[in-house]
Amino acid sequence: MDREKLIKTLSANDSFIRLKGIKQLKKMEGSGSLPKPMTSDEDFALSFQTNYSFSPYTPSLAAFRAYQGGIGIAGIADHDGLAGAEEFARACSILGVESTCGVQLFGRFYSGANRWLNNFYERDIGCVTLRGVPSCEIESLHKELEPTRVKRAERDKKMVEKLNLRLKKHGLDINFDKDVKARSYYKNGGTITERHILFALAGKLVEKFGDAGKILDFLKNDFNVKVDEAYLPALSDINNPYYTYDLVDCLKHEINFFYIPMDDVMGAPALVDLAHRHGALITYDYVGEVRRNYGGQQEVITLEKEFTEQLFKDLGTMGFDAVEYDPVAIPEEDAKNLRELAGENGMFTLPHSDFNSPRQKFSAKVELPPELVKNVWAVIGHEKSASYSVDDGMNTTKSKSKNPSLSSRLDLYAEIGRLKLR
């Protein structure tokens, strides 16, 4: 079987077939018929999302694309579950890529404070990541998150019903089971997200109008959606092979026309307890602010930047282990302040970037401060240690009693991370 056919098997419905394809591709590389990529231990991407949440990539395909892009450490971080985690780790192991396991969850940080966090959908609620989940805890954590996936699916169905009230007069209708649920990996333990709904909507719009200009007019005039000018080139060409995904990316922060609040989301302190009970580290993804361009006018949407110091104090008090930030989006001077503020509140920092769109290049060649590189390896070391015994994780009572200094523990676990223990 040639290279392209093998790569297609990485999108098969059966994980056994996908992993078999990974092994065969690796053998082709060993025989010299497939070029071996140059991977770097300092190129990280910790938040690959797969089709177990919303992404065009299976865990095996995500691992392979990461490897081909030269990424030396790849992390899976799907929403609300870990159904793809073991496959991702096995694929990375076959390819010789260091892997780490995570899961993204929403949590309520405040009640009635009316603060925008890193969640664009509603105030006082933010997204967190459980990092370095020990291999021995993947199954039990995934099972404990099942009610979260069920409740989210119930909300998603209500959102489709709400959306259909507006679509009906335009001769459009989304069937939750056929157009949304069936396109997800929900029956395999995956999660249904708002982006699945947007993907179904995008498909219906393409089917009905078949013209990019008409679709944009419909969104602006009938749904009162603001379109960031950065998306206009892609959304002006309906023959663009990524058109549907581009439309989802454009709309993902503008879903007020069907959004339903998360009334039953866990509190942030409960998420801290959940993470630590399962031997994981819990991190907060700091965004700060977002800049967009509407009709030639730049709009700055301020999020946590308005109350950064208070937020970091609250995170430290609640027991968060780390804060993540995008080193590309946040200027180094601001990032340095974030790292200092995290340290003052007993936390460390990590680089953050999500990979969930076919538009994204699978590459993480960004020069990072040595501190961040070390911290990523410390998370790897934590996961390796906690996989042998949860009590041996980096921030457990046992570890803190032996080594009270966070800086020293980060040094120690970074060394463990670089050891080839698995």
Side-chain angles (χ1 to χ4, degrees):
M1 189 179 295
D2 64 26
R3 175 180 181 272
E4 293 306 316
K5 287 183 179 179
L6 276 176
I7 292 175
K8 286 183 179 179
T9 67
L10 305 187
S11 296
N13 288 328
D14 191 324
S15 62
F16 177 81
I17 295 174
R18 298 195 293 263
L19 287 169
K20 183 179 178 181
I22 288 285
K23 292 177 182 177
Q24 290 176 301
L25 284 164
K26 189 63 177 175
K27 285 182 180 179
M28 286 182 65
E29 180 186 287
S31 66
S33 56
L34 182 66
K36 182 177 181 179
M38 295 293 292
T39 58
S40 170
D41 286 347
E42 294 191 3
D43 286 340
F44 316 121
L46 303 183
S47 293
F48 282 104
Q49 288 161 14
T50 73
N51 51 3
Y52 284 93
S53 46
F54 181 80
S55 168
Y57 305 108
T58 66
S60 290
L61 183 55
F64 182 72
R65 292 298 187 199
Y67 175 61
Q68 289 285 293
I71 292 171
I73 299 180
I76 187 172
D78 280 320
H79 287 275
D80 303 334
L82 301 101
E86 291 184 359
E87 178 189 341
F88 185 82
R90 289 180 64 187
C92 285
S93 178
I94 294 166
L95 295 167
V97 174
E98 192 71 67
S99 69
T100 180
C101 176
V103 57
Q104 293 189 1
L105 299 164
F106 282 108
R108 180 171 296 282
F109 283 74
Y110 303 104
S111 181
N114 205 32
R115 289 172 170 166
W116 280 120
L117 293 157
N118 58 10
N119 165 35
F120 294 88
Y121 302 153
E122 58 182 295
R123 297 175 189 266
D124 294 341
I125 289 177
C127 184
V128 307
T129 306
L130 275 57
R131 293 264 181 226
V133 180
S135 57
C136 57
E137 291 291 324
I138 289 175
E139 184 177 350
S140 61
L141 177 55
H142 179 72
K143 184 176 181 180
E144 188 166 349
L145 290 174
E146 183 176 359
T148 299
R149 296 189 294 275
V150 171
K151 290 175 183 176
R152 187 164 186 172
E154 292 170 350
R155 278 183 57 247
D156 290 328
K157 187 173 184 179
K158 292 177 181 178
M159 284 193 275
V160 169
E161 293 170 354
K162 183 177 179 180
L163 177 57
N164 278 335
L165 293 176
R166 297 195 63 181
L167 292 175
K168 186 176 180 180
K169 64 179 180 180
H170 301 287
L172 294 166
D173 179 79
I174 295 175
N175 183 290
F176 177 76
D177 290 324
K178 294 180 180 180
D179 300 323
V180 180
K181 188 176 181 179
R183 293 185 181 182
S184 74
Y185 255 48
Y186 184 73
K187 68 178 181 180
N188 302 106
T191 300
I192 304 173
T193 72
E194 291 82 359
R195 295 191 193 188
H196 285 99
I197 300 173
L198 289 174
F199 194 80
L201 172 62
K204 295 291 183 180
L205 295 179
V206 170
E207 182 181 348
K208 179 177 178 62
F209 296 108
D211 178 84
K214 291 180 180 178
I215 291 173
L216 286 172
D217 285 342
F218 175 81
L219 292 174
K220 292 177 182 178
N221 299 324
D222 292 289
F223 274 63
N224 195 29
V225 169
K226 295 188 293 184
V227 177
D228 188 334
E229 290 191 359
Y231 292 101
L232 288 179
L235 295 182
S236 297
D237 178 14
I238 200 148
N239 294 316
N240 152 26
Y242 306 123
Y243 185 86
T244 305
Y245 282 96
D246 290 331
L247 198 51
V248 171
D249 281 344
C250 176
L251 294 174
K252 65 186 178 183
H253 299 316
E254 302 289 342
I255 64 172
N256 291 331
F257 52 92
F258 68 82
Y259 185 76
I260 293 176
M262 294 182 272
D263 293 332
D264 53 8
V265 70
M266 277 192 278
L271 289 176
V272 173
D273 176 68
L274 175 73
H276 293 165
R277 277 193 291 107
H278 288 279
L281 303 170
I282 183 167
T283 73
Y284 176 87
D285 175 23
Y286 180 89
V287 178
E289 65 182 18
V290 174
R291 295 178 182 271
R292 298 182 187 149
N293 195 328
Y294 300 122
Q297 298 294 318
Q298 190 176 78
E299 180 177 311
V300 179
I301 302 171
T302 303
L303 302 172
E304 311 102 324
K305 199 170 184 178
E306 288 188 352
F307 60 102
T308 300
E309 290 190 15
Q310 183 61 53
L311 173 63
F312 276 51
K313 289 179 182 178
D314 294 339
L315 293 173
T317 300
M318 284 187 281
F320 272 72
D321 298 289
V323 174
E324 305 185 19
Y325 68 89
D326 186 344
V328 175
I330 294 182
E332 176 53 25
E333 184 176 342
D334 292 343
K336 183 179 178 181
N337 291 333
L338 294 179
R339 294 196 295 271
E340 291 176 354
L341 192 56
E344 291 170 5
N345 289 281
M347 300 178 290
F348 61 97
T349 50
L350 291 167
H352 180 94
S353 58
D354 285 332
F355 282 80
N356 54 24
S357 168
R359 279 284 183 190
Q360 292 172 290
K361 293 182 179 180
F362 279 69
S363 174
K365 298 188 181 302
V366 178
E367 187 173 347
L368 297 173
E371 177 184 340
L372 288 188
V373 175
K374 178 188 71 175
N375 292 350
V376 170
W377 279 108
V379 171
I380 300 294
H382 160 85
E383 186 172 331
K384 289 178 177 179
S385 299
S387 292
Y388 283 96
S389 172
V390 170
D391 286 341
D392 289 333
M394 181 169 61
N395 282 347
T396 63
T397 301
K398 177 182 175 181
S399 294
K400 288 180 178 179
S401 64
K402 288 184 176 180
N403 195 347
S405 167
L406 174 59
S407 178
S408 295
R409 291 199 306 279
L410 288 166
D411 289 338
L412 172 62
Y413 280 83
E415 290 181 15
I416 295 172
R418 293 182 182 276
L419 296 174
K420 301 299 181 182
L421 299 177
R422 59 183 182 186

